[in-house]
Structure formats: C-alpha cells, structure tokens
Amino acid sequence: MLMKGNEVIGEAAIRAGCRYFFGYPITPQTELAEYLAKKMPKVGGLCLQAESEVAAINMVLGCNASGERAFTSSSSPGVSLKSEGISYIIGSDLPCVIVNVQRGGPGLGGIQPAQSDYLQATKALGHGDQHFIVLAPAYVQEIATLMGEAFDLADIYRTPVMLLADGALGQMMEPVDFEAKKQRTLPEKTWAACGHGNKREHNVVNSLYISPEVLEQTVLARFERYKLIEEKEVMYDGYMTEDADICIVSYGITARIAKTAVKAAREKGIKAGLFRPITLWPYPKKQLSALADKVKKFLVVEMNMGQMVDDVKVATDCRRPVEFFGRTGGIIPTPDEILAKIEEMNGGAD
Amino acid sequence: MSNILLAGFGGQGILFAGKQIVLAGMKLGKNVSWLPSYGPEMRGGTCNCSVIVEDEPIGSPLVTKPDILLAFNTPSFDKFESKVVKGGMLFVDSSLVSKKSERDDIKAYYIPATELADENGLPGMANVIMLGFIVKKTGLFDEEFFKESLNSGIPASKAHLAAANHKALEIGFGYEC
C-alpha cells in the first residue's frame, strides 16, 4: 500500500485500537487529522478538532484516564503549547501518544522539515522530574510499526510516548505494510477511572501531591520504571559500522540521507558508517559507547544546530572527537554536503 | 534506477503524475518514494515532486540531481535544467516553455503536451500525455503495464475519467519529436 507518512500515523493508530484523536490543525501534519476525520467515524471512533492545542492535550489526558487509547498530534509550535498538559499526564502516570511532525523554529518558524525539537523532546518538554519515550522513525514503514509500538509502550509503562517525525516524513509517500508490528502482552488497566458499578474503590487520577514525602515517592517510583525502560526498550540501527573509521550518528529522515552519503564515501574508499538511534529516549548509550572503542571519529548529522552532539559525547565519554554537520530552518541536507564533511574529516578530498 | 523530478505550476497534476510513476514502480517490486514540495503551494504557484524508483533501499527522498526532469513551466526549467545529471533526460512541455537546453551532455525532449491535450479535448491532462511520452522514451515501464497501473491509480471519484486518461496516455506513447 502506498501512503503518505501523515496518513500512516492515523491508520497505524486505528490499527492499534485507538479510537480517540484530539488535535488542532497545523502544517505539516494536517493530513493526519484529515485522514482520521474520515476514518474514525467508520470504526466507531472520534476525531475531534479542539479549540486549541491546550484543549486537545487535556482531552487526551481525560480520555486516557478513563483507560481508552487516545492520542494527539501537532507540529513544533503546537507541541510547545501542549507541554503543560504533557507534564500533567506524566504526573498522573497515564499512557498517552503524542506525535510531533517537526517544522523549523523557533517561534512560529517555518513549515519545512526540521529536527530542532530534539532537546525539547528528549530533555524537558514539560516541568518536573520527567522523561518519556521518544521514537524517531526514518521511513514511512517505520512510522507504521513505531506508532503501534508507541501505544503498547505507553500502556506497559504508563507514560507518554512521542513519535518524533518531521515534515518530510509526514509528507512523503512510501509503500507500507501494517502487519509488520510485533505483538506485545499488555497489562490490565486496573487504575483507569471508568465505570465499575461500585464493585471496587474509586480510582483517582491526579498529579497533585501536597506532601513532599508523598510526591517524592511517586517520582522515585516513576524513575524505577524509567530504569526498566532504559534497560529493555532501547532501539537502534547500524549500517557498515563494523569497520568504520568515521561513524555518523543521525536519526529520522536525516539518517537515511546520511546513509546515502556513507555509501558514496565507501565508494571513494573512505570507511564510513552510520549509527541510527531509533529511541531518542532511552538513548542507546551502551551501543554508542561500544562503537567508540572501534571508530576514530563521530559525526553527528541533524536538521538543527547540533542538539544531539552532547548526547553522543556523554554516551562515549568524549573518548573520540565528535563533529557536527547540519542544516536548519527547514533545509534538508543533501548527501553531497554530508559526503563533503566526511571527506574533510578524512583529511580532505582527493 | 531513477531519480525523477517533476516540476511546474500547482494545478497541472504534477503530484498526480509523480504518484503514478511510484505506483507502477511499487507494482514491479521496486523501492519507491514520493516527496512533494509543500507549504504555501497553490493553483498557479510553483510545485514540484521528487520521485525515486530504485532497486536498492532509498536513502534521501529528496531529488536534487535528477536523472529525469519533467519541466512543465519556465521557472522550473530555469531552476532545475542545470541540475540534471550528465547523461540524464530532460522533458519539457514546449507549449509552456519556449526555452531550449544548451547542454550537450543530456538528452532533451520537447513535447507540446498542453496543446496536444487541448486539441484532443483533454484539458488538464498534459501531465498524463507527458507520462505516456516519458514512459516510452525512458523505457521505465512497459506501455501496457503502465496503462493498467494508471487505471488502478485513478481514485474512485475520478473513475469516469479513465477513458480520457487512456487517450492521453496513448497520445504520449505515440508522439514523435
């Protein structure tokens, strides 16, 4: 099936059993809401255009609190608006899926593809001690599998999961197979605030804890879950890293462009490779650290000003030089530009 | 196999034409990708579409150095003609673009697709005529196969245009220049 990335997000959500979408339109992800507006009623679901991003994320909070799968989607400026709600969802230990089809920033920025929300997504989208899982697809096919994974991971760990895409992935069409996702065993939602005919105590979904001792305990318990996520849910991909001297570290759409550059470098006799984090949080620290034993230099390639560079330095204990190449503001780097940087790092072009 | 760039005005069916190439490639089991320019695009504004049909997995979906360029207006010709790779192919709708390429390292074809469409009672189908022409000249796909593929690519709401699409395709297949 040939589909647009944005539509695949919607279809994968429906196939994951999600029946509730709350959003507010913004380029370049609006086709997603358009798709769901058509499809959700046909499967007995609801696609609602809220009055604002803030309203949409709070509707998602309420819907997930009742135990239903619900998600929201936006692009960069809209995701910033959702940040308060996302922190509340974390504080309430609710599962939730958030899609960010990134565009250039800061401010209203532009509408072309970017990856300049990396730090926002992986470090501190909302206030408080918090993390959430961030998945970065590089292919339309991967959107289909990761979107399904996002709902499962959210339910298993009672945490928001963000699908961090970009305008190009959202807009492009590629063949997609929705059957590729592996099945997971999901826990029962015993905590859900839903009807029970007075057969049990009321469940309360809340993020307010006035007593610091109690609040600290909730945070510590959550960080125990984060530890589990870091142990069990790291995803990454590698290409020709085995004998690489120069290893590119890149994610999402940029990683596939970098892959083309790696192939071109290999043809020129330069031993280049590519390491692609698929989970941006949890970050594949151990795997990168192991690579640092083998490669001579790292090159981070992103569509931003180098937001992932520090993560690579920390993961590798700065044992190897980490250089950066990127374009920002909505410009997609070309394989040639990346290749030129690889050649420069290799001691200049022939 | 091919990096193809289709460029012209919004409303000329650039994105549709690109999608037909991708659909046909997918049916042959090739790796394919389709990436439109998007944003403040509108009828009459500029519009382009990167299409890749390859045996290998596709890296960058953005076509910056096309093997095949379809130029449906003068701004597109001006912007992309120099980007065509050596040995590549350039297809120009000569009804709308009066310029000729001065390069001798590419093959350039000029087809008055818009006039052919209008003369044959197929207004708005210059894109499909062009598709027929490039399919024949590039040998990307078998003609009959592509016709069948186009059939399945027409949305249900446009099913009544199937015969017109076939006619347009045949004109493209048959055009000599």
Side-chain angles (χ1 to χ4, degrees), chain A residues 1-2 4 27-28 111-113 139 167-168 171-175 253 256-257 259-260 263 332 334-336, chain B residues 15 19 22-23 26 30-40 54 56-62 64-65:
Chain A
M1 207 183 297
L2 186 68
K4 247 189 174 190
T27 305
I111 54 174
Q112 298 304 319
Y139 302 88
Q171 294 292 324
M172 69 188 283
M173 278 198 270
E174 280 185 313
I253 192 87
R256 56 192 289 171
I257 301 171
K259 192 171 176 182
T260 305
K263 277 186 206 167
I332 302 176
T334 66
D336 284 352
Chain B
L15 304 185
K19 191 176 171 185
V22 165
L23 274 171
M26 186 173 78
K30 306 283 184 188
N31 291 295
V32 294
S33 73
W34 175 98
L35 175 69
S37 60
Y38 68 89
E54 257 187 50
E56 297 288 308
I58 293 167
S60 175
L62 189 67
T64 48
K65 293 190 290 186

Side-chain angles (χ1 to χ4, degrees), chain A residues 116-149:
Chain A
S116 40
D117 303 345
Y118 176 90
L119 284 174
Q120 182 199 46
T122 60
K123 300 295 181 284
L125 205 167
H127 58 278
D129 283 315
Q130 49 107 12
H131 289 294
F132 54 81
I133 299 171
V134 182
L135 308 175
Y139 302 88
V140 171
Q141 174 62 54
E142 209 169 45
I143 291 177
T145 46
L146 289 182
M147 195 60 191
E149 279 289 281

